[in-house]
Amino acid sequence: MNSQVSIVNKQEKSKSAVSSKERVSRILHKYGMLMILIALIILMSFLSPTFFTTGNLLNIVRQMSVVGIVAIGVTIVIITTGIDLSSGSVIALVSVVAASFAHPDTYPFFVPILIGLGLGLLTGVINGTIISKAKIAPFIVTLGMMTAARGAALLFSDGRPIGNLSDSFKFIGQGAVFGIPVPIIIFAFVGVVSYILLNKTKFGKYVYAIGGNEQAAIIAGVNVDKYKIFVYGYAGLLSGLAGIILTSRISSGQPTAGVMYELDAIAAAVIGGTSLAGGIGTIGGTIVGALIIGVMNNGLDLLNVSPYWQQILKGVIITVAVFIDSRKNRKS
Amino acid sequence: MRFSKNFISMVILLLFTMFVAVGCSGKQGASEPTTKQSGGSKKIVIGAALPDFDDKWLSYLQDGMKEYAKTQKDVEVIYVDAMNDASKQLSQVENFIQQKVDAIVLIPVDTVSAPEMIDKANQANIPIVVVNRIFDGVDKATAYVGSESIKSGIMQMEEVAKILGGKGNIAIMNGQMGHEAQIKRTEGNKEVIKKYPNMKVVLEGTAEWDRAKGMSLMENWLNSGKNIDAVVANNDEMAIGAIMALEDAGKLDDVVVAGIDATPDALEYVKSGKLKVTVFQNARGQGQGGLETAIKAAKGEKVEKFNWIPYELVTKDNVEEYIKKWQ
């Protein structure tokens, strides 16, 4: 309370002289990561003449749309102080199951999509139910799901990729509408829907309330268990969607797909300003976080940086980006 | 509280059912050996410890052993399945030692626990032949039978060099960095490239054995503005990813793509002319060679320490032959 009052006072006192400085710091606070993304893009454009072309920029967003969609679900989970480690394995499970329903001349293309989405949702609801009802830590429950879903994917597919998919199913990952790849359109759609969910609905208000102080939310009469199941269910649904896009994109259901995607997704969320302590995080931030990872992957490939160095650089950039962001938060 | 109790009992019940189901579906792994040297007959008994009966490639290796066993008189082979569990495999090898088999054929589940199994067989003075999976300390075994990873990289790259006429820009797609197969296959590639002054590596990256990552890497490479004449991938899945990205960009006709493994999917790509080269690791040959060496060792004959089974090059000319192998 006090700090808020003092900020207001300060603003009033120095309306003319200091306010521009204040404004800069506020803009920095809100858009810091976006500026880091822009700085990275400018840097890469100087280093590689082919980086800043429409084709390559679309390429980056398309490559990140699978992890980006997962990251949006994970962001909402992390806001409730949870975590979801199962995303990558759920992608693999959905991939092989959806692929087996997507052979040409068997089912219409929406059947594998609905089955994939349903399966993703189911895994999420199982996560959420165990976490909220049995009161087991999300880390453990989703770690269990990560292992079990991977096993189920291998079991279902006998450890082998499932190919021969129909053209209509392949359109989801490989098609384009008005020159924009379908995965990007789906990514944007998920971003908008999730933004509305989180900012314009009761659901969103409760998600932040649970993350800010779960006990207070319970006392205030929020059905925390129900909303947690929603949150993990939604994350599972988005993992399922990501699995469908990936499968369609590579024309094959792969039991080994999605390895480490959960960590990329968590990294995107955290780079985008989501706090692992809960209560803080935005969809826009996560999308920026995902794009930062995408720009790095792409730029380092374009520059032909050795695969060993790529890993080190990625680690350093992620840490530095979050460090800058956290210092900025502290100052303002 | 009551709910959570019910919940826990439900979970326990579920787990129990799962274990029973798994137990029932499990194969009859360690079948007891039938009579052995009961009378004066000199029947040779070989214990074969395999990591996983469900693995398709290994099943061809086992077929190779079975076919060879049929041609041999007075040889009995006992096959056991470790179901990819290293500790299970260790106890299976111990059982073989207890049964006093004449020789053991071992395909290790993992190469970390394998030296211990070799020690145990050596202590009991039972010859042990390691097949397919090589590791430091394998020389303590009686013999090793397998293929040399670096040879597949050499064979792959030589065919690409032939197609390109000995010159061009090469992009190397690595598997997971640090894996034995990644290191050796790439090493083999580079050994060949060094021999051609007009051929050079212009791009090198990792796609971690994964098709989706191979596709992304290729897309990025295509945007790098570098001229690429051939993409040489450590395995077929990444090569297929590269092909898909090249097809999207309409550039597949300008670029030669090569993989390794000759998986069923890859063979279809070879057949359609999109994948120019892949390399087949001879499973039957390794199985036959492994058993042959073990029988020799059991008879007390001298055996070579390292027995290399050659890789086989697969191109559009001979692809049908390999497609048949997977059927």
Side-chain angles (χ1 to χ4, degrees):
Chain A
M1 265 309 174
N2 272 339
S3 66
Q4 259 180 341
V5 172
S6 71
I7 288 170
V8 173
N9 280 343
K10 233 197 269 173
Q11 278 173 345
E12 277 173 3
K13 258 186 257 170
S14 51
K15 228 167 196 162
S16 52
V18 199
S19 70
S20 63
K21 218 181 200 174
E22 284 279 335
R23 211 176 301 146
V24 168
S25 88
R26 231 177 308 146
I27 288 171
L28 263 179
H29 175 53
K30 202 169 172 192
Y31 298 108
M33 272 302 152
L34 186 60
M35 285 163 142
I36 291 176
L37 173 63
I38 292 168
L40 259 180
I41 290 174
I42 293 172
L43 178 71
M44 289 298 181
S45 306
F46 273 113
L47 293 174
S48 164
T50 51
F51 176 83
F52 202 78
T53 55
T54 318
N56 192 45
L57 295 180
L58 278 180
N59 174 35
I60 293 173
V61 184
R62 187 182 53 198
Q63 287 181 359
M64 279 321 285
S65 45
V66 169
V67 167
I69 288 168
V70 174
I72 286 173
V74 167
T75 301
I76 302 177
V77 168
I78 295 178
I79 292 174
T80 66
T81 66
I83 195 89
D84 189 353
L85 299 175
S86 65
S87 333
S89 298
V90 170
I91 285 178
L93 178 59
V94 168
S95 177
V96 290
V97 174
S100 69
F101 286 95
H103 298 310
D105 309 317
T106 50
Y107 303 95
F109 74 97
F110 57 82
V111 172
I113 296 176
L114 290 179
I115 288 174
L117 292 177
L119 188 57
L121 180 67
L122 178 71
T123 60
V125 168
I126 292 173
N127 280 339
T129 308
I130 298 176
I131 288 163
S132 57
K133 300 291 184 192
K135 309 275 181 244
I136 303 175
F139 186 92
I140 302 300
V141 174
T142 59
L143 182 67
M145 180 59 82
M146 169 182 170
T147 316
R150 180 70 63 190
L154 288 162
L155 186 70
F156 183 86
S157 65
D158 219 358
R160 282 190 286 280
I162 299 173
N164 187 23
L165 310 185
S166 71
D167 286 340
S168 49
F169 183 76
K170 284 188 204 164
F171 183 77
I172 309 160
Q174 300 177 22
V177 177
F178 300 121
I180 301 173
V182 176
I184 297 184
I185 297 171
I186 299 175
F187 183 25
F189 176 75
V190 168
V192 171
V193 168
S194 305
Y195 177 84
I196 293 170
L197 260 181
L198 212 46
N199 294 288
K200 308 285 177 197
T201 66
K202 200 172 69 182
F203 169 82
K205 211 182 291 171
Y206 290 165
V207 163
Y208 282 109
I210 292 168
N213 187 336
E214 190 169 327
Q215 282 311 313
I218 293 170
I219 291 163
V222 176
N223 187 344
V224 171
D225 286 0
K226 186 177 97 180
Y227 282 97
K228 276 194 178 172
I229 296 172
F230 274 11
V231 165
Y232 284 92
Y234 188 62
L237 180 76
L238 291 185
S239 296
L241 180 60
I244 290 164
I245 296 173
L246 183 87
T247 307
S248 165
R249 186 145 171 66
I250 60 177
S251 308
S252 140
Q254 301 243 351
T256 53
V259 174
M260 299 275 279
Y261 279 31
E262 58 280 339
L263 294 185
D264 275 350
I266 293 168
V270 172
I271 292 174
T274 309
S275 164
L276 286 171
I280 300 170
T282 61
I283 300 302
T286 296
I287 293 175
V288 169
L291 291 178
I292 287 179
I293 297 178
V295 166
M296 268 174 353
N297 284 342
N298 173 268
L300 295 175
D301 281 346
L302 291 190
L303 297 171
N304 195 22
V305 175
S306 121
Y308 300 123
W309 276 107
Q310 285 205 12
Q311 294 188 3
I312 296 172
L313 282 173
K314 278 178 208 165
V316 169
I317 294 174
I318 289 170
T319 315
V320 168
V322 174
F323 174 73
I324 294 172
D325 197 48
S326 69
R327 289 204 33 118
K328 211 174 54 244
N329 282 344
R330 223 172 293 150
K331 264 188 232 156
S332 48
Chain B
M1 196 60 208
R2 214 181 62 198
F3 176 84
S4 73
K5 228 181 205 168
N6 277 340
F7 186 81
I8 290 166
S9 49
M10 247 171 60
V11 169
I12 292 171
L13 190 69
L14 185 75
L15 282 176
F16 183 73
T17 342
M18 273 172 64
F19 279 123
V20 171
V22 168
C24 289
S25 71
K27 288 160 295 280
Q28 297 157 318
S31 59
E32 289 300 313
T34 47
T35 51
K36 183 212 154 209
Q37 287 182 344
S38 47
S41 78
K42 282 181 280 171
K43 192 166 192 181
I44 293 172
V45 178
I46 310 282
L50 273 56
D52 184 8
F53 281 11
D54 291 339
D55 184 286
K56 188 124 189 168
W57 192 86
L58 287 173
S59 75
Y60 286 108
L61 196 152
Q62 199 178 353
D63 286 350
M65 293 177 75
K66 282 178 180 162
E67 281 160 20
Y68 185 73
K70 267 187 217 150
T71 67
Q72 299 294 305
K73 268 193 294 177
D74 295 329
V75 168
E76 187 194 346
V77 186
I78 307 160
Y79 300 95
V80 291
D81 180 4
M83 293 168 172
N84 270 328
D85 179 345
S87 63
K88 186 168 186 166
Q89 187 167 53
L90 178 61
S91 52
Q92 286 170 338
V93 169
E94 283 168 348
N95 285 344
F96 282 149
I97 293 169
Q98 289 305 315
Q99 292 163 15
K100 297 200 169 57
V101 295
D102 297 300
I104 296 170
V105 174
L106 171 70
I107 304 174
V109 167
D110 71 65
T111 50
V112 179
S113 51
E116 196 184 335
M117 298 179 206
I118 294 175
D119 283 348
K120 296 215 160 157
N122 284 345
Q123 280 161 21
N125 251 328
I126 293 175
I128 181 163
V129 177
V130 179
V131 178
N132 181 246
R133 296 177 184 176
I134 198 163
F135 46 88
D136 278 342
V138 80
D139 50 337
K140 283 195 187 142
T142 314
Y144 174 79
V145 178
S147 303
E148 218 175 347
S149 275
I150 191 165
K151 292 270 166 59
S152 60
I154 292 173
M155 188 177 261
Q156 175 195 32
M157 194 62 226
E158 264 169 0
E159 182 65 15
V160 171
K162 207 173 93 190
I163 296 170
L164 291 177
K167 59 173 191 291
N169 293 339
I170 311 297
I172 295 180
M173 216 175 249
N174 285 293
Q176 185 83 54
M177 301 309 282
H179 281 194
E180 194 258 358
Q182 175 270 322
I183 297 169
K184 293 292 178 190
R185 288 173 183 184
T186 300
E187 202 178 303
N189 293 157
K190 288 182 175 169
E191 228 170 70
V192 175
I193 293 170
K194 243 188 263 165
K195 288 195 285 189
Y196 296 92
N198 292 326
M199 213 152 65
K200 61 172 191 286
V201 181
V202 286
L203 289 160
E204 189 175 350
T206 174
E208 295 163 7
W209 307 118
D210 183 72
R211 185 185 298 196
K213 286 179 180 148
M215 197 173 176
S216 292
L217 183 59
M218 191 68 231
E219 285 163 352
N220 290 345
W221 279 349
L222 283 170
N223 281 308
S224 72
K226 287 210 170 72
N227 191 20
I228 303 167
D229 297 305
V231 176
V232 180
N234 281 171
N235 78 342
D236 284 336
E237 277 297 316
M238 298 188 294
I240 292 172
I243 288 172
M244 297 182 74
L246 284 162
E247 261 185 320
D248 265 2
K251 286 183 179 160
L252 185 57
D253 291 339
D254 314 328
V255 182
V256 172
V257 183
I260 293 179
D261 286 345
T263 63
D265 270 19
L267 292 174
E268 289 304 318
Y269 277 88
V270 174
K271 197 177 167 188
S272 64
K274 293 172 181 172
L275 182 64
K276 294 289 185 290
V277 182
T278 184
V279 177
F280 175 75
Q281 198 181 165
N282 190 343
R284 277 198 173 82
Q286 289 190 12
Q288 176 182 338
L291 185 57
E292 196 182 341
T293 312
I295 292 171
K296 268 192 198 162
K299 286 178 180 164
E301 292 169 25
K302 200 172 151 33
V303 294
E304 289 282 329
K305 200 83 177 175
F306 289 95
N307 305 270
W308 302 117
I309 306 295
Y311 284 93
E312 292 165 24
L313 190 70
V314 183
T315 61
K316 204 175 177 181
D317 300 331
N318 62 357
V319 67
E320 293 293 344
E321 180 186 320
Y322 292 90
I323 289 174
K324 271 186 217 133
K325 289 194 192 211
W326 289 105
Q327 280 158 359

